[in-house]
Amino acid sequence: MTVATHFQHKDGVLHAENVSLEQLAHDFGTPLYVYSRQALHDAWNSYHQAAQGRDVLVCYGMKANSNLAILNEFARLGTGFDIVSGGELARVIAAKGDPSKVVFSGVGKQRWEIEAALDAHIKCFNVESVAELERIATIAAEKGVKAPVSLRVNPDVDAKTHPYISTGLKDNKFGIDINIAPAIYAQAQQLPNLDIVGLDCHIGSQITQISPYLDALHKLILLIKQLQDQGIHLKHLDIGGGLGIRYTDETPATPTDLLSAVFQALDAADLGHLQLVLEPGRSMVGNAGVLLTQVEYLKSNQDKHFAIVNAAMNDLIRPTLYEAWHDVEAVRPRNNNATISYDIVGPICESGDWLAKDRTLNLEQGDLLAVMSAGAYAFTMASQYNTRPRAAEVIVDKQSVHLVRPREELHSLFESERLLD
Ligand code: LLP
């Protein structure tokens, strides 16, 4: 899914599927995260169709959006999950996801998280260091079980994306140096409580081209061949997530572009029998959501014009953290030509509290705006900074609306805090 096709203007008002965003603002207030159920299905279908009936497991990278309703929807469509914490595992279970389709990534897995994952019988640990491999082996031995493991290797390829979301370079903290992976696999083979099941790699996020994947895949194939020579035969290859979406004018590669190239390379290397695991996050949800907000005030400091809205960096941190561009659309655009260029900013006491800069819009106080492409890494990165309750989330399904997380109540923000005696 690359374009927000389920958010369209109808009769001059922006809709989510068949429901007007004006109606949603009226019923639920703002700021509000609004998701389209059909967009979630379309995103899943784009992977499902790209799989062409081959053995592919989509493990949704749930850090992008982990609302239980969304996890449950994907679980019902057949996805597994890529988790990075014990908390995410608990969410999968709460959402009735299948733990046997869970892969567990992340460089800092704690003992309790490894225990919980073993108890839940997950599909695989994506192991990111020798120390972690040893810890998993020890805990598995204590429990008298075998832990299924893959090594997450760092192939040292440039994903050509923002440095903060690039993970496959040797300077990044992620994965095990691919050059020493054969030796670490040999070490794992000696540990009786480990079951080597796969090989994993994730090179970054918002990747719009196929070439970085193929650069990595080339190295992975050489490694798999070397492992075969060592008598290690893998069941699956996990190439991570990372496919980008359209925020502005990007033309990202599609799942079909990616998978057909991957199948071709695997078949050519006589590795077509391997199950292919994918960990897409952003491309499953990014354009399935918008952040709806309202203009509280307009103000000008000499030549600079600000639209102060009621959403802020605590609701969507991507602009200030990565200088990310999110399109901003008026829910009811005016016909007359816009001439003023606004910075769209929130109420938080930080100059970094901005959602968009230099947007030419025709605005009045009270207008509703939709910050587009806010389905991924928006709510999951939200905070309560400035004691702002996290906003509500709704899913629109044709003309129905489901409140899948109510707006946080003020008292819940501090009810567990205690005064000193
Ligand atoms: N697998 C692993 C091991 C990951 O670390 C990630 C994302 C994914 C899968 C999913 O990647 P995706 O398909 O969503 O690109 N907060 C940043 C993105 C951070 C991505 C972290 N890892 C942003 O808002 O752009």
Side-chain angles (χ1 to χ4, degrees):
M1 171 200 49
T2 52
V3 190
T5 43
H6 297 287
F7 296 89
Q8 299 283 347
H9 283 93
K10 294 178 191 169
D11 300 327
V13 182
L14 189 59
H15 282 59
E17 300 196 14
N18 298 332
V19 179
S20 106
L21 295 187
E22 284 183 347
Q23 187 66 46
L24 292 174
H26 174 267
D27 293 349
F28 299 96
T30 52
L32 180 72
Y33 301 92
V34 181
Y35 310 121
S36 153
R37 187 178 198 175
Q38 190 58 49
L40 300 172
H41 283 227
D42 287 0
W44 153 253
N45 276 330
S46 69
Y47 279 95
H48 189 58
Q49 283 163 12
Q52 299 166 10
R54 293 182 63 141
D55 188 5
V56 175
L57 179 63
V58 174
C59 290
Y60 166 55
M62 62 179 282
K63 64 173 78 63
N65 188 323
S66 57
N67 184 287
L68 293 195
I70 289 180
L71 301 185
N72 179 256
E73 192 74 358
F74 283 147
R76 281 193 274 170
L77 291 169
T79 73
F81 298 94
D82 166 54
I83 64 167
V84 290
S85 70
E88 288 193 341
L89 177 60
R91 276 186 181 271
V92 168
I93 293 167
K96 303 187 170 67
D98 180 353
S100 73
K101 292 183 185 172
V102 165
V103 296
F104 190 175
S105 307
V107 294
K109 299 177 191 76
Q110 299 171 51
R111 168 172 264 274
W112 73 269
E113 296 176 310
I114 294 168
E115 287 174 354
L118 285 173
D119 292 345
H121 303 292
I122 66 164
K123 178 179 174 68
C124 177
F125 291 88
N126 290 335
V127 179
E128 306 225 15
S129 64
V130 177
E132 181 194 329
L133 189 75
E134 288 168 349
R135 181 182 280 183
I136 293 172
T138 304
I139 298 172
E142 283 167 17
K143 289 183 175 290
V145 297
K146 271 186 171 239
V149 294
S150 283
L151 294 195
R152 174 174 177 183
V153 296
N154 184 325
D156 194 23
V157 299
D158 184 358
K160 301 185 179 75
T161 183
H162 190 285
Y164 282 14
I165 52 178
S166 182
T167 50
L169 285 165
K170 65 176 174 350
D171 291 350
N172 302 132
K173 69 179 175 181
F174 299 100
I176 291 171
D177 177 357
I178 194 163
N179 299 307
I180 61 166
I184 315 287
Y185 269 104
Q187 190 181 336
Q189 211 179 9
Q190 301 307 314
L191 293 168
N193 291 91
L194 296 183
D195 185 16
I196 298 171
V197 292
L199 170 64
D200 170 50
C201 166
H202 170 81
I203 55 174
S205 197
Q206 188 53 19
I207 302 168
T208 53
Q209 306 163 26
I210 295 299
S211 55
Y213 286 101
L214 296 182
D215 293 347
L217 184 61
H218 180 65
K219 296 186 175 187
L220 297 174
I221 286 173
L222 293 178
L223 173 57
I224 296 170
K225 292 283 177 196
Q226 196 174 340
L227 294 177
Q228 284 178 344
D229 293 342
Q230 287 177 218
I232 297 173
H233 299 280
L234 307 179
K235 293 182 190 143
H236 76 250
L237 171 65
D238 181 342
I239 59 167
L243 264 193
I245 62 167
R246 171 174 279 195
Y247 285 99
T248 164
D249 55 2
E250 304 91 334
T251 48
T254 64
T256 300
D257 297 335
L258 175 63
L259 290 199
S260 44
V262 169
F263 292 144
Q264 202 178 356
L266 289 177
D267 290 346
D270 220 8
L271 294 174
H273 61 281
L274 288 176
Q275 182 189 44
L276 188 67
V277 176
L278 306 170
E279 302 171 356
R282 188 191 316 264
S283 53
M284 294 282 282
V285 289
N287 273 327
V290 304
L291 175 60
L292 183 59
T293 184
Q294 186 163 30
V295 177
E296 295 283 344
Y297 303 103
L298 297 176
K299 89 174 194 184
S300 302
N301 290 344
Q302 298 191 356
D303 295 340
K304 189 83 197 162
H305 305 286
F306 296 97
I308 302 167
V309 299
N310 62 5
M313 64 189 282
N314 74 301
D315 304 298
L316 180 66
I317 203 172
R318 303 193 67 257
T320 193
L321 190 55
Y322 315 116
E323 300 209 323
W325 170 286
H326 284 255
D327 203 10
V328 176
E329 295 208 15
V331 169
R332 187 184 279 275
R334 295 194 171 75
N335 290 331
N336 39 350
N337 290 338
T339 50
I340 301 181
S341 179
Y342 289 98
D343 282 5
I344 316 290
V345 302
I348 286 181
C349 301
E350 300 244 7
S351 298
D353 180 25
W354 57 274
L355 298 174
K357 287 189 173 169
D358 296 326
R359 303 303 170 89
T360 305
L361 290 160
N362 192 339
L363 295 180
E364 287 179 15
Q365 190 168 325
D367 281 359
L368 292 171
L369 296 176
V371 184
M372 308 303 287
S373 311
Y377 304 111
F379 184 89
T380 50
M381 297 181 82
S383 76
Q384 298 160 329
Y385 187 38
N386 280 205
T387 304
R388 288 168 50 84
R390 282 179 299 177
E393 297 176 283
V394 298
I395 298 185
V396 173
D397 178 10
K398 301 186 184 75
Q399 43 284 324
S400 317
V401 184
H402 303 270
L403 177 63
V404 293
R405 194 178 207 276
R407 188 174 306 285
E408 286 179 339
E409 304 262 2
L410 270 189
H411 67 87
S412 75
L413 270 57
F414 48 81
E415 68 188 352
S416 61
E417 297 174 19
R418 300 283 179 267
L419 304 183
L420 297 178
D421 290 336

